[in-house]
Amino acid sequence: MDDAESIVKHANNKKIANNLRDAFPHPYTPNDAKNWLKNIAPSNDLLFAIEVDGEAVGGIAVIINSDVYWRSAEVGYWLSEKHWNKGIVTEALQTLVQHTFNNTEIVRIFAGIFESNNTSARVLEKSGFELEAVHKKAVFKNGKLMNELLFVRFKEEK
């Protein structure tokens, strides 16, 4: 809960919300932050704040799938515009992917991004992800129908 004020400060940005699912609201209010922080505690997922100088300026998570997909997980992230283009998300993603592969039974991590999000595509590519599929006309965001790009990375076999 100590991060709620910082999360609101950095998350309340239309440019961030434009590249995320509608579950990430805009405007982003103190109630949104508090509700999200309350709901993440009882989870098997890997959820982390991205901190810069001790301040929560973003978030990154590995959401573990269930049923026959339990060896796969989805990764998602966001970062304050103030800290874009500094390699912060790339470093966080690479660290979280290695942690996930080293400490869980996950063998496949994927990310679905909007076709217009070139920056996120580059982050994924720099982190060893490859484009696996294009889901045509799969996303409707801000009144626009667009493709989803699905990137994937597999655990290296030893």
Side-chain angles (χ1 to χ4, degrees):
M1 285 300 170
D2 294 344
D3 288 331
E5 186 177 328
S6 179
I7 290 170
V8 172
K9 174 182 162 186
H10 294 284
N12 189 25
N13 182 325
K14 185 78 169 144
K15 291 179 186 175
I16 293 170
N18 283 343
N19 285 308
L20 298 174
R21 294 178 183 164
D22 289 342
F24 191 98
H26 182 77
Y28 199 100
T29 68
N31 279 342
D32 294 321
K34 289 174 187 166
N35 288 336
W36 185 79
L37 289 165
K38 276 190 237 178
N39 290 325
I40 63 169
S43 173
N44 292 327
D45 299 323
L46 306 173
L47 306 151
F48 298 96
I50 298 174
E51 291 189 357
V52 174
D53 298 327
E55 181 180 27
V57 298
I60 189 166
V62 168
I63 309 301
I64 299 169
N65 285 349
S66 61
D67 202 343
V68 296
Y69 301 105
W70 70 273
R71 302 287 303 269
S72 289
E74 181 176 13
V75 68
Y77 45 82
W78 69 271
L79 183 68
S80 171
E81 184 178 9
K82 176 181 176 183
H83 298 286
W84 289 357
N85 301 312
K86 297 178 182 178
I88 293 168
V89 171
T90 301
E91 181 180 349
L93 180 59
Q94 290 170 351
T95 300
L96 184 54
V97 165
Q98 283 310 310
H99 174 81
T100 302
F101 285 152
N102 291 339
N103 295 287
T104 72
E105 294 184 79
I106 298 298
V107 297
R108 179 182 188 273
I109 300 175
F110 65 93
I113 64 167
F114 306 158
E115 67 182 324
S116 58
N117 193 345
N118 296 325
T119 301
S120 201
R122 185 69 190 122
V123 165
L124 291 161
E125 290 167 346
K126 288 192 294 187
S127 300
F129 285 72
E130 296 180 4
L131 181 63
E132 180 179 63
V134 176
H135 297 152
K136 295 183 186 238
K137 298 181 182 180
V139 174
F140 189 75
K141 179 75 176 187
N142 295 328
K144 183 180 177 188
L145 192 59
M146 64 183 117
N147 298 337
E148 176 189 48
L149 307 180
L150 187 70
F151 284 82
V152 66
R153 181 165 167 191
F154 295 97
K155 182 176 183 175
E156 295 176 14
E157 294 185 26
K158 295 179 181 183

